[in-house]
Amino acid sequence: MADGDEDGRRYIYLDPDGTGTGQGWVFVIVAGETGVVYQTQGGGHRCVQYAQEGYLIPVFGRDLDRELKEIFVHSD
């Protein structure tokens, strides 16, 4: 989590230690000029950094990403 940057926006890192994985939360970020940028890491071993400015909407439920995993994660 970071307070701010030279650009005047606030940066929030989602799940920085990875403990939220598998807990049933999905975060939807609706893009907008809010002054708050949410960041997370993805890409497995590639360590791709993602960031989006907007409104954070937390959604709780089990297996919410099941269909996305079927599309993007291949288990051959």
Side-chain angles (χ1 to χ4, degrees):
M1 203 178 325
D3 289 334
D5 205 279
E6 298 86 36
D7 62 5
R9 296 186 290 178
R10 183 171 282 261
Y11 290 82
I12 309 288
Y13 199 88
L14 300 174
D15 195 23
D17 61 0
T19 58
T21 303
Q23 299 298 313
W25 286 98
V26 171
F27 295 103
V28 176
I29 301 172
V30 178
E33 295 182 18
T34 62
V36 179
V37 178
Y38 296 96
Q39 299 175 298
T40 193
Q41 179 180 322
H45 295 291
R46 291 187 50 216
C47 295
V48 178
Q49 301 296 320
Y50 297 104
Q52 177 65 55
E53 180 178 6
Y55 302 92
L56 180 72
I57 302 170
V59 180
F60 183 76
R62 294 290 176 195
D63 297 321
L64 294 175
D65 60 347
R66 182 180 47 83
E67 291 178 354
L68 291 173
K69 285 180 181 177
E70 289 175 6
I71 294 169
F72 294 106
V73 179
H74 302 284
S75 58
D76 295 332

